[in-house]
Amino acid sequence: MDGSAAPGSTSLHDHGVVGLPATEIAARVRAGELSAVEVVRAHLRHLAEADPRLGAFRVLRTEAALAEAAEVDASPRRGELPLAGVPIAVKDNVAVAGEVATDGSRAHHPAPASADHPVVARLREAGAVVVGITRVPELCLYSATDGPGTVTRNPWDTARSPAGSSGGSAAAVAAGIVPLAQGNDGLGSLRLPAAACGLVTLKPGSGVVPASIGADSWSGMAENGVLATTVADLRAGFAVLAGAAAGPPPGEGAPLRVAVSTRSPLPGVRLDAAGRAAVDAVVAELRAAGHTVVRRDPPITVGAALGAVARWLAGADADADALGLDRSALEPRSRRHAQLGRWVRRAGLVRPGAAALFRSRMGEFFDHVDVLLTPIVTGLPLPARPWHERGLLANLTANARWAPWAGAWNLAGLPALVLPAGPGREGLPTAVQLVGPAGSETRLLWLAGELEHRLPWRRHAPVFDPREPVG
């Protein structure tokens, strides 16, 4: 990647555009220092160079993106657009007008969407430009992103997965292809890719951002969000999705009471040494910043764990119905998954009371502390391989053993944020998770920003970092 350009085009490094944070790009486009067209063109060139090694994108919108960027440049509102000219990627399970969303499955032939999903509409209204649609595992069910013909790879180590199900979006951001990408999270599908790819993300609490994912957002567990390389970018993207004014970052708050727990919700599954070091590093900085840290385990019961799993299984069946899928054409693992989900639905095992009870217990937990700090994954990301060729049990076991700390907060409908921290794992990032009570998104973002200042992280995978040409 040498940044050379064809005659008459813009070099990747002419303006230092590719690799900038989204907030900086938007500020320069608003000020007229850059045009949205040249920003998008530069990112499309980097995409063309980087994505053949990653397989992050299913659809590239080259002509459409440049046309939409020209509309941003011509807009009389350009000077007030919070994401003016920012290239973004959208996950392949939400609607982009004129494009097809497949949900990662070949078991149907959907028509192009007639309108944007509400979160896509909000991103575009804020001046963002959709450059492509990113890959997902079938029905967004799994913790690795792959399917027939394509295995999506992690920019930090292409032998590893970027996780799932927002794996294509995470790989695109970590490689600097886009500064911001949309994704969603039903059982960790934003937070696990963020952990695998060294990014920061926030799964909002219930009702904060429009969901409308699949048939019923996995019985209300799934939420939309963004993946970013900085907390400022995450804050800006979240504000747009939530329909709120971004404004300046909140000022320093009072010292917080932070509970820390490393106990795995899945018996017999242990956190590796690098994960413990990441938690310990964050605990040390929290104490140095004046926060109170106590050891306290959240009340994650067997009933809560089973409640989340029941919704995950039922979601596959409900989405297969809603999408009109030919079930015989599903991948074997997904077909079995949906079969189990049908049994769960018919048996009435998706019980609102289980989620309500767990949410109530967590409310009592947060009566005594402000934030919960936990690990997010047990070790290295899963290998980049065709997991779709393996059975459901192999996928389920691998997913559960790698990511036991994610699903509870989907069931409870509570906000959970993941950020890079610690010394890393064999050249890949490590991460921690911050969980808060209902309505604490701003608190989590503020605390994440404080930790970013005290424990800064590398924003892009080294080999794909557009700010550092290789060769």
Side-chain angles (χ1 to χ4, degrees), residues 125-218:
E125 288 167 4
V129 177
V130 180
V131 300
I133 312 297
T134 54
R135 294 186 184 275
V136 300
E138 189 167 48
L139 300 182
C140 299
L141 292 170
Y142 309 107
S143 294
T145 298
D146 63 273
T150 304
V151 173
T152 302
R153 299 181 180 276
N154 192 319
W156 290 83
D157 179 353
T158 55
R160 294 283 170 178
S161 174
S165 61
S166 305
S169 287
V173 176
I177 295 173
V178 288
L180 202 66
Q182 178 271 339
N184 36 55
D185 189 316
L187 212 63
S189 289
L190 278 166
R191 289 164 290 150
L192 304 182
C197 295
L199 306 175
V200 60
T201 195
L202 171 67
K203 180 199 78 67
S206 297
V208 176
V209 168
S212 301
I213 302 161
D216 61 358
S217 302
W218 286 7

Side-chain angles (χ1 to χ4, degrees), residues 10 29 34-42 65-71 73 85:
T10 301
V29 171
L34 290 171
S35 74
V37 167
E38 66 185 335
V39 168
V40 169
R41 183 181 292 120
L66 290 170
E68 291 167 17
E71 292 177 5
D73 286 330

Side-chain angles (χ1 to χ4, degrees), residues 333-344:
R333 61 177 180 171
S334 304
R335 186 162 60 248
R336 181 59 175 158
H337 198 128
Q339 288 171 345
L340 291 173
R342 175 145 297 188
W343 178 82
V344 165

Side-chain angles (χ1 to χ4, degrees), residues 85-375:
V86 173
I88 63 167
V90 172
K91 187 176 177 178
D92 190 21
N93 70 336
V94 301
V96 174
E99 303 294 347
V100 171
T102 71
D103 217 11
S105 181
R106 296 184 175 186
H108 64 146
H109 301 284
S114 59
D116 288 333
H117 184 285
V119 296
V120 177
R122 288 182 177 185
L123 288 164
R124 280 178 152 164
E125 288 167 4
V129 177
V130 180
V131 300
I133 312 297
T134 54
R135 294 186 184 275
V136 300
E138 189 167 48
L139 300 182
C140 299
L141 292 170
Y142 309 107
S143 294
T145 298
D146 63 273
T150 304
V151 173
T152 302
R153 299 181 180 276
N154 192 319
W156 290 83
D157 179 353
T158 55
R160 294 283 170 178
S161 174
S165 61
S166 305
S169 287
V173 176
I177 295 173
V178 288
L180 202 66
Q182 178 271 339
N184 36 55
D185 189 316
L187 212 63
S189 289
L190 278 166
R191 289 164 290 150
L192 304 182
C197 295
L199 306 175
V200 60
T201 195
L202 171 67
K203 180 199 78 67
S206 297
V208 176
V209 168
S212 301
I213 302 161
D216 61 358
S217 302
W218 286 7
S219 302
M221 289 204 306
E223 304 291 344
N224 283 303
V226 295
L227 292 144
T229 64
T230 71
V231 175
D233 281 5
L234 176 60
R235 185 185 298 113
F238 166 71
V240 168
L241 295 193
E252 184 174 348
L256 299 175
R257 300 163 297 169
V258 181
V260 59
S261 172
T262 56
R263 185 184 70 181
S264 169
L266 185 64
V269 174
R270 295 180 178 274
L271 179 64
D272 69 354
R276 289 188 178 277
V279 172
D280 290 345
V282 171
V283 166
E285 292 302 329
L286 289 172
R287 286 179 170 149
H291 303 295
T292 300
V293 180
V294 297
R295 298 278 170 176
R296 182 171 296 173
D297 295 324
I300 302 176
T301 63
V302 172
L306 292 177
V309 171
R311 284 162 171 76
W312 179 51
L313 293 170
D317 181 59
D319 286 352
D321 281 348
L323 294 170
L325 300 187
D326 174 3
R327 293 182 182 235
S328 67
L330 287 170
E331 298 164 5
R333 61 177 180 171
S334 304
R335 186 162 60 248
R336 181 59 175 158
H337 198 128
Q339 288 171 345
L340 291 173
R342 175 145 297 188
W343 178 82
V344 165
R345 294 173 75 194
R346 288 177 174 173
L349 298 181
V350 178
R351 296 168 180 163
L357 177 60
F358 179 51
R359 185 179 177 94
S360 174
R361 287 176 173 167
M362 284 308 304
E364 295 171 0
F365 178 87
F366 283 119
D367 285 341
H368 303 285
V369 296
D370 300 305
V371 174
L372 170 65
L373 167 67
T374 77

Side-chain angles (χ1 to χ4, degrees), residues 15 62 188 288 321 406 445:
H15 301 287
T62 302
D321 281 348
L445 287 164

